[in-house]
Amino acid sequence: MQKNISFYEAIDFILKSQISLLGREKVVFSDALGRVLAQDIIAKSNMPKFPTSSMDGYAFCFADFPRLLSEGLFLDGDNPAGADVEFSLKPASAIKTFTGSRMPKNSDTILLVEYSVCKEGKVFLSQDAPVIKKGDWVRCVGENYCSGDVLLKRGDFIGAYEIGLLADLNEVFVEVFRKPKVAILTGGSEIIEVGENRDCENMIYSVNNHLLKAMVTSMGGEGILYPIMPDKKETIKELMSEAFRDCDILLSTGGMSMGDYDFTQQAIAELCEVVFKGVRIKPGKPFGYALYHQDQKIKHLLALPGSPNSAALSFYLFGSVVFAKMFGITYEHQVLKAILSEDVIRTDSRMEFRVCDLEIFEGRYYANFSKKRIFQSSVINNLCGKSALVILQENGENLHKGDEVDMIIFKNFL
Amino acid sequence: MQKNISFYEAIDFILKSQISLLGREKVVFSDALGRVLAQDIIAKSNMPKFPTSSMDGYAFCFADFPRLLSEGLFLDGDNPAGADVEFSLKPASAIKTFTGSRMPKNSDTILLVEYSVCKEGKVFLSQDAPVIKKGDWVRCVGENYCSGDVLLKRGDFIGAYEIGLLADLNEVFVEVFRKPKVAILTGGSEIIEVGENRDCENMIYSVNNHLLKAMVTSMGGEGILYPIMPDKKETIKELMSEAFRDCDILLSTGGMSMGDYDFTQQAIAELCEVVFKGVRIKPGKPFGYALYHQDQKIKHLLALPGSPNSAALSFYLFGSVVFAKMFGITYEHQVLKAILSEDVIRTDSRMEFRVCDLEIFEGRYYANFSKKRIFQSSVINNLCGKSALVILQENGENLHKGDEVDMIIFKNFL
């Protein structure tokens, strides 16, 4: 077991550990919003299949352009979009053609309705028309995509626009990765469930389990809440064993520091192979990562600190890497630049993820700490709203207002 | 009716139109993920309520520090987190106290376990201890928030961290805005439903309805799909009337250009008060906005262009403003700076939202067009993946590689 390692070492240990791909499931494409593709999506035909008009107008052959200017072109009927037949253009003629219509045979250009004048069965160019070029307003075969093009890849996130593309491709059913099942076990003898009524004034409501479940949902997983863990090693072990049976990832919170009542780490040590414990980051120092061997499978335990802020951020920083690996992709935290709105005084040699309000001014990000309460790991309200994490490197120096710093928008999940 | 107005005029017309707040509904806080708050959330008590230890260690009175260094302090029992009683510190003593425990009366400082040495019933400072200060590792009353603090506001989006805060506050039920109901009516005689089998090769699959429904879902609304509109004015009017009865917003696509078969705009003109039609933007030029008066209510119609790309982007740009107003907030598109990876040649005087791949290099955004097919409004695959919209202003000049431009990440919904 590694102890007290750096953030980058911790990420490396997770990337190197054996994390299997999730199983697949088939869903109707329109139910795939927010899921991750488990297959490549390949175009089966060209789009468009035929030269197609992209506007309403008159299809003609550009070789007839001089005649359009002088004698006009004979109007030869309408070619509505979705027509059953392929129209064919006669010499010196034009066919009225609509947005989405297949171009008539022998035609190559669309004269827009607004630049046309019709009289006595003929169409002419209007006087205010701009320059007309061969091929105007005609979409070529395969302009969107060609047969065989890989349009989406395994591991791609399916958002609204991907749903649109799947509809375009007539992919009625698609294979997505199963949602990772995440068991959430939170502990602490001072914790009571939300809504619960207890006389004792020293109790606090269970934040971690609901916070983590919502984060898991936002990351495309399925969170399962277990009863609150008592301060009793054997019961913790039983609960964990039960949870491991049904999940891919187990999250525990609390019980990872040095207190006598911290049985969670003892239970973990007896059940699992602990990869590392302790990371030189703030918040999140007690974070641990362990593997649970079950038959041929390996389940993953993220032992999160007990304070909600620490639990949330260490799950965000490390959990996203585990999730991504299960989806077959390599996740990197998207690091962006922000400008400091005030000086930053370092109080710790650890690498720090210091929460700030993220403001945008003239298109640039600014990190503002003025409305954040002291940077305690228990201040969950700090994480709400438009917040981001300023990354302060290990053993770093104080920074000054106006300096550019690295920042992660921890509101963006996978 | 205004015609062919600028983008900013169009946004202004929407902001000025009468858009009522959505109704409220009460949901269990953990079901509120992705919803918008319809009430302020105010702290009912201080957090923490009492001075609380933030680490495991020994609570003592800092006035006894010299004694801790010399004779040591008497160990006087354990004070576990969530204890029913309030402990009281005797003179020259220390009480073992844990993360989350209420500080014993008369104590003011925590000596961390790791910097303590216990022998013969007394606790001493370890030799490797750092400087100890009065108040160390004690969380003050109200450090997170104080009674009466407004912690979340009406109109705030509820993400995972807000769920955590609601749990912390024991807000079991919260009032959220009802999801806006959005009727989606797409048209075009060349359109067939996904999965439908037709002999005619000129048909294309219905992209718009599924694309828009997924966008509506991502924006926190509820999309309702209607049958594909035929090219028949009376039927369109009937469908629209039916849809208006049940929705807050109606989206129509197609039928807004100059073709003879474009009955949609005739139907809209007969049913609604058209506020404007035609915006000098690319894509999205035919976009129109209309109001439908029903008893005392006003319903909103966004007439989107028929090409999927134009429909999606004009819905994104204008629909987000309507949505936000229904949620009681003023939405502004988040404009950020990106650096051009190549020259940009303007081909149109209209304001343009040109889709690019959004790349991040050394913490900065770069706009790359090289993998985008030509900027046709029908190329839906352009919108997939990590894309953004570069904003090219009206009558703007060509831009050069390395220039900084304005950009919108149109993947971020409300």
Side-chain angles (χ1 to χ4, degrees):
Chain A
M1 176 176 67
Q2 301 283 323
K3 277 191 170 180
N4 206 28
I5 59 180
S6 77
F7 174 71
Y8 301 104
E9 286 168 332
I11 295 284
D12 233 46
F13 272 112
I14 295 175
L15 286 174
K16 278 186 196 144
S17 78
Q18 196 191 320
I19 301 180
S20 309
L21 276 189
L22 289 158
R24 297 174 295 173
E25 80 179 292
K26 244 179 169 169
V27 295
V28 173
F29 77 101
S30 51
D31 288 340
L33 186 66
R35 305 294 295 267
V36 177
L37 267 177
Q39 61 166 126
D40 291 348
I41 298 289
I42 298 166
K44 296 191 200 82
S45 59
N46 300 321
M47 176 60 77
K49 278 185 198 158
F50 317 105
T52 302
S53 174
S54 67
M55 293 291 271
D56 293 338
Y58 297 90
F60 71 103
C61 174
F62 196 72
D64 284 336
F65 189 64
R67 185 183 287 264
L68 177 72
L69 291 175
S70 53
E71 302 148 60
L73 300 175
F74 294 105
L75 283 173
D76 191 21
D78 278 15
N79 167 23
D84 267 345
V85 290
E86 186 189 359
F87 286 75
S88 192
L89 191 71
K90 293 179 194 134
S93 298
I95 293 180
K96 193 156 192 186
T97 294
F98 299 85
T99 308
S101 295
R102 178 174 182 172
M103 290 293 288
K105 213 169 154 178
N106 307 323
S107 73
D108 55 18
T109 306
I110 290 286
L111 169 66
L112 296 186
V113 161
E114 43 266 60
Y115 300 126
S116 68
V117 177
C118 293
K119 54 182 176 195
E120 295 161 10
K122 281 185 171 180
V123 60
F124 298 84
L125 191 70
S126 74
Q127 291 199 329
D128 62 343
V131 178
I132 310 288
K133 296 185 308 296
K134 183 175 172 177
D136 273 357
W137 310 109
V138 178
R139 299 174 50 222
C140 310
V141 171
E143 187 179 278
N144 294 16
Y145 47 78
C146 297
S147 176
D149 281 358
V150 179
L151 297 175
L152 296 171
K153 286 212 169 106
R154 193 182 79 166
D156 279 354
F157 177 82
I158 305 175
Y161 308 105
E162 285 75 14
I163 297 283
L165 179 59
L166 292 169
D168 195 32
L169 295 164
N170 194 34
E171 294 280 353
V172 187
F173 284 90
V174 290
E175 284 177 20
V176 296
F177 284 112
R178 190 168 58 64
K179 292 185 182 186
K181 284 196 180 169
V182 183
I184 300 167
L185 279 80
T186 58
S189 50
E190 75 278 31
I191 308 291
I192 56 174
E193 189 46 273
V194 174
E196 201 174 326
N197 217 331
R198 284 255 196 113
D199 280 340
C200 173
E201 279 201 304
N202 284 351
M203 310 305 278
I204 57 170
Y205 290 101
S206 177
V207 173
N208 285 333
N209 52 359
H210 301 292
L211 169 61
L212 291 168
K213 186 173 178 182
M215 289 181 74
V216 165
T217 304
S218 302
M219 288 163 74
E222 183 193 338
I224 305 154
L225 298 185
Y226 282 79
I228 291 173
M229 288 190 289
D231 279 341
K232 206 168 155 220
K233 193 178 77 179
E234 285 312 314
T235 319
I236 294 176
K237 280 176 75 175
E238 279 165 30
L239 265 175
M240 285 192 168
S241 303
E242 181 188 341
F244 272 128
R245 208 176 47 206
D246 295 326
C247 74
D248 303 299
I249 300 170
L250 190 152
L251 307 180
S252 69
T253 73
M256 290 301 284
S257 51
M258 298 189 68
D260 293 354
Y261 295 92
D262 290 343
F263 297 114
T264 308
Q265 55 190 319
Q266 296 174 25
I268 292 171
E270 290 177 22
L271 285 174
C272 302
E273 170 198 345
V274 180
V275 180
F276 63 81
K277 170 167 161 31
V279 186
R280 300 194 303 272
I281 54 172
K282 180 183 180 181
K285 186 180 169 191
F287 179 80
Y289 175 58
L291 306 175
Y292 179 79
H293 297 269
Q294 186 187 53
D295 307 328
Q296 301 301 311
K297 285 187 204 146
I298 294 177
K299 310 275 173 114
H300 304 267
L301 184 140
L302 305 185
L304 308 171
S307 296
N309 216 334
S310 313
L313 296 185
S314 51
F315 176 56
Y316 180 80
L317 293 169
F318 299 114
S320 49
V321 180
V322 178
F323 263 59
K325 238 191 135 182
M326 289 186 167
F327 289 134
I329 49 177
T330 306
Y331 182 75
E332 276 182 58
H333 294 102
Q334 224 174 53
V335 177
L336 292 161
K337 295 286 179 194
I339 299 162
L340 288 177
S341 294
E342 62 189 84
D343 294 353
V344 164
I345 310 297
R346 300 298 301 273
T347 57
D348 204 302
S349 65
R350 282 178 289 171
M351 182 176 181
E352 191 176 337
F353 295 90
R354 193 179 289 192
V355 67
C356 67
D357 280 308
L358 187 64
E359 295 167 351
I360 296 174
F361 179 68
E362 293 184 345
R364 271 167 241 289
Y365 291 121
Y366 284 79
N368 188 337
F369 300 96
S370 63
K371 284 182 211 145
K372 296 297 179 196
R373 304 250 174 167
I374 56 169
F375 309 106
Q376 282 271 7
S377 50
S378 51
V379 185
I380 180 68
N381 35 326
N382 271 353
L383 302 184
C384 296
K386 291 188 169 59
S387 303
L389 298 176
V390 167
I391 305 174
L392 304 171
Q393 293 294 343
E394 200 164 25
N395 299 313
E397 302 193 339
N398 293 340
L399 298 167
H400 302 97
K401 181 176 170 171
D403 284 355
E404 233 183 17
V405 287
D406 287 336
M407 167 275 289
I408 296 176
I409 303 176
F410 65 103
K411 306 276 159 155
N412 299 343
F413 293 103
L414 282 191
Chain B
M1 175 175 68
Q2 301 285 322
K3 278 190 170 181
N4 205 29
I5 60 180
S6 76
F7 174 70
Y8 302 105
E9 287 168 332
I11 295 284
D12 233 44
F13 272 113
I14 295 175
L15 286 174
K16 278 184 196 146
S17 77
Q18 197 191 321
I19 302 180
S20 309
L21 276 190
L22 290 158
R24 297 175 295 173
E25 79 178 291
K26 242 179 171 170
V27 296
V28 174
F29 78 102
S30 51
D31 288 340
L33 187 67
R35 305 296 292 270
V36 177
L37 266 178
Q39 61 167 125
D40 291 347
I41 298 289
I42 298 166
K44 295 190 202 83
S45 59
N46 300 320
M47 175 62 75
K49 279 186 200 159
F50 317 104
T52 302
S53 175
S54 67
M55 293 290 272
D56 293 337
Y58 296 91
F60 70 104
C61 173
F62 195 72
D64 283 336
F65 188 65
R67 187 184 286 265
L68 177 71
L69 292 175
S70 51
E71 302 147 63
L73 300 175
F74 293 106
L75 283 173
D76 190 23
D78 278 15
N79 167 22
D84 268 344
V85 289
E86 186 189 357
F87 286 76
S88 191
L89 192 70
K90 293 180 194 134
S93 299
I95 293 180
K96 194 155 193 188
T97 294
F98 299 86
T99 308
S101 295
R102 178 175 183 171
M103 290 293 287
K105 212 170 154 178
N106 308 323
S107 73
D108 56 20
T109 306
I110 290 285
L111 168 66
L112 296 186
V113 162
E114 44 267 59
Y115 300 126
S116 68
V117 177
C118 293
K119 54 184 177 193
E120 294 161 10
K122 281 185 173 182
V123 60
F124 298 84
L125 191 70
S126 75
Q127 291 198 330
D128 61 344
V131 177
I132 309 289
K133 295 186 307 298
K134 184 175 173 177
D136 273 357
W137 309 110
V138 178
R139 297 173 52 221
C140 309
V141 171
E143 186 179 279
N144 294 16
Y145 47 78
C146 296
S147 177
D149 281 358
V150 179
L151 297 175
L152 296 171
K153 286 209 168 106
R154 192 183 79 166
D156 278 355
F157 177 82
I158 305 175
Y161 306 107
E162 285 75 15
I163 297 283
L165 179 59
L166 292 169
D168 196 30
L169 295 164
N170 194 34
E171 295 279 352
V172 186
F173 284 90
V174 289
E175 284 177 21
V176 296
F177 284 112
R178 191 168 57 65
K179 292 184 182 188
K181 284 194 179 170
V182 182
I184 300 166
L185 278 81
T186 57
S189 52
E190 75 277 31
I191 308 290
I192 56 174
E193 190 45 273
V194 174
E196 201 175 325
N197 217 331
R198 283 253 196 115
D199 281 340
C200 173
E201 279 201 304
N202 283 352
M203 309 306 277
I204 57 169
Y205 291 102
S206 176
V207 173
N208 284 335
N209 51 0
H210 302 292
L211 169 61
L212 291 169
K213 187 173 177 181
M215 288 180 76
V216 165
T217 304
S218 303
M219 287 163 74
E222 183 194 338
I224 305 154
L225 298 185
Y226 282 80
I228 291 172
M229 288 189 288
D231 279 341
K232 207 171 153 219
K233 193 178 75 178
E234 285 311 313
T235 319
I236 293 176
K237 279 176 74 174
E238 280 164 29
L239 265 175
M240 284 191 168
S241 302
E242 180 189 341
F244 271 128
R245 209 177 46 210
D246 295 327
C247 74
D248 303 297
I249 300 170
L250 190 153
L251 307 180
S252 70
T253 74
M256 291 300 285
S257 51
M258 300 189 68
D260 294 353
Y261 295 92
D262 289 343
F263 296 114
T264 307
Q265 54 190 320
Q266 297 173 27
I268 292 171
E270 291 177 21
L271 285 174
C272 301
E273 170 198 345
V274 180
V275 180
F276 64 81
K277 172 174 157 29
V279 186
R280 300 193 302 273
I281 53 171
K282 181 184 179 180
K285 188 181 168 191
F287 178 80
Y289 174 59
L291 306 175
Y292 180 78
H293 297 270
Q294 188 187 53
D295 307 326
Q296 301 301 313
K297 284 187 204 149
I298 295 177
K299 309 274 174 115
H300 304 268
L301 184 140
L302 305 184
L304 308 172
S307 297
N309 215 334
S310 312
L313 295 185
S314 51
F315 176 56
Y316 180 79
L317 293 169
F318 299 114
S320 48
V321 180
V322 179
F323 263 59
K325 239 192 131 179
M326 289 185 168
F327 289 134
I329 49 177
T330 307
Y331 182 74
E332 276 183 58
H333 294 103
Q334 224 175 54
V335 176
L336 293 161
K337 294 287 179 195
I339 300 161
L340 289 176
S341 295
E342 63 189 81
D343 294 353
V344 163
I345 310 298
R346 300 297 302 270
T347 56
D348 205 302
S349 64
R350 282 178 289 171
M351 182 176 181
E352 191 176 339
F353 296 91
R354 193 179 287 193
V355 66
C356 68
D357 280 308
L358 187 63
E359 294 166 351
I360 296 174
F361 179 68
E362 293 183 346
R364 271 166 242 288
Y365 292 120
Y366 284 78
N368 188 336
F369 301 95
S370 63
K371 285 181 209 146
K372 296 297 179 196
R373 303 251 174 168
I374 57 170
F375 309 108
Q376 283 271 8
S377 51
S378 52
V379 184
I380 179 69
N381 35 324
N382 270 355
L383 302 184
C384 296
K386 291 189 168 60
S387 303
L389 299 176
V390 167
I391 305 174
L392 303 171
Q393 294 296 341
E394 200 165 25
N395 299 312
E397 301 193 338
N398 293 340
L399 298 167
H400 302 98
K401 181 177 169 169
D403 285 356
E404 233 183 18
V405 287
D406 287 336
M407 167 275 288
I408 296 176
I409 302 176
F410 65 102
K411 306 276 159 157
N412 299 343
F413 292 102
L414 283 192

